[in-house]
Amino acid sequence: MARWWNRRAIRDWYDPLVVHGTYKLLWRCHVRHVTGLYLNAICDNDTVLEIGPANGAHLDRADRQGLNLHLLDVFPGSLRAASERLERYAPVPHLADALEPFPLAEDSVDAVVMSMVLHCLPGRSIADKEPVFDHIADVLRPGGTFAGATVLAEGIPHTRRSRIGLNVLNKIGLFSCYQDSLTDLQHALARFDRVKISRVGSVALWQGVGR
């Protein structure tokens, strides 16, 4: 995947293929539901960490003012594309694995957003990916907001089309969520307070508060 996951591909194709493509056609989740997470989670002048920013589209649409923005991704192309789109915030890019400790101070972030990323992290189930939730809890200040969305394999409704799409994306390595379940997501989010999980199509969307 890294060979084609470059700045130009992310910049030119992520919105038409993913945001306006698979979101609606496969997962039955309109982009407005994901944008709503950002609008609810982020306030003007917040220190924000986005994990897996892709091309920065969701933060761009939220259009908050005066953000102290950090972007974290394992792919340089994504960091470059998102940094260009979000240039007005002078974002700080972090080329890092989300399953490893974050290069940010403890309790230093007002909001963490992780949209449509969890299903791409390596591991057959959310239980294998729980370190990312620990690292988020470490950097999120008490009372700060953690919001995200992910496609689940179990515990959420699928159509024949979405099930085929999920199997294909897992097989070719773009996804890694063979057994990602709603039950495991609820368990992982127990690290946060006042957690709310909603379901739109085959996508789980959540928001929680740092302790």
Side-chain angles (χ1 to χ4, degrees):
M1 182 170 67
R3 286 178 297 182
W4 63 268
W5 202 240
N6 56 48
R7 178 187 61 83
R8 178 173 291 182
I10 290 283
R11 184 194 64 196
D12 296 343
W13 294 106
Y14 187 81
D15 274 3
L17 291 181
V18 180
V19 175
H20 301 298
T22 61
Y23 277 27
K24 183 178 180 180
L25 297 178
L26 291 183
W27 320 128
R28 294 162 292 132
C29 180
H30 194 277
V31 64
R32 66 175 178 272
H33 297 290
V34 177
T35 302
L37 288 175
Y38 286 68
L39 292 171
N40 289 330
I42 300 170
C43 298
D44 290 346
N45 303 309
D46 273 353
T47 295
V48 176
L49 168 64
E50 180 165 29
I51 301 166
N55 66 351
H58 298 312
L59 270 172
D60 189 29
R61 293 185 186 96
D63 197 26
R64 296 306 194 199
Q65 303 301 307
L67 299 183
N68 176 21
L69 179 59
H70 295 263
L71 305 173
L72 187 147
D73 205 306
V74 73
F75 294 114
S78 176
L79 289 176
R80 287 195 290 269
S83 294
E84 288 177 4
R85 187 163 185 167
L86 301 167
E87 183 180 8
R88 63 189 182 275
Y89 300 124
V92 179
H94 302 279
L95 184 62
D97 184 342
L99 296 179
E100 298 294 331
F102 297 166
L104 293 163
E106 184 176 348
D107 298 343
S108 64
V109 177
D110 298 305
V112 178
V113 282
M114 185 173 68
S115 171
M116 306 299 263
V117 172
L118 188 62
H119 54 243
C120 296
L121 296 182
R124 292 192 66 86
S125 71
I126 290 176
D128 297 329
K129 310 170 188 181
E130 286 201 10
V132 69
F133 295 91
D134 290 325
H135 305 326
I136 291 167
D138 287 341
V139 302
L140 186 63
R141 67 167 178 80
T145 303
F146 170 39
T150 192
V151 177
L152 293 177
E154 301 175 5
I156 207 162
H158 275 279
T159 64
R160 183 173 182 271
R161 178 187 294 173
S162 69
R163 184 61 69 185
I164 291 171
L166 189 65
N167 290 338
V168 169
L169 290 166
N170 275 318
K171 185 174 181 179
I172 65 177
L174 291 179
F175 278 20
S176 184
C177 62
Y178 294 90
Q179 298 170 1
D180 283 16
S181 71
L182 182 60
T183 299
D184 283 351
L185 178 62
Q186 291 167 332
H187 181 270
L189 290 171
R191 294 160 172 80
F192 307 91
D193 291 332
R194 304 205 300 273
V195 172
K196 296 179 181 179
I197 302 175
S198 60
R199 289 174 283 176
V200 179
S202 301
V203 176
L205 306 101
W206 69 85
Q207 184 168 309
V209 174
R211 293 176 176 169

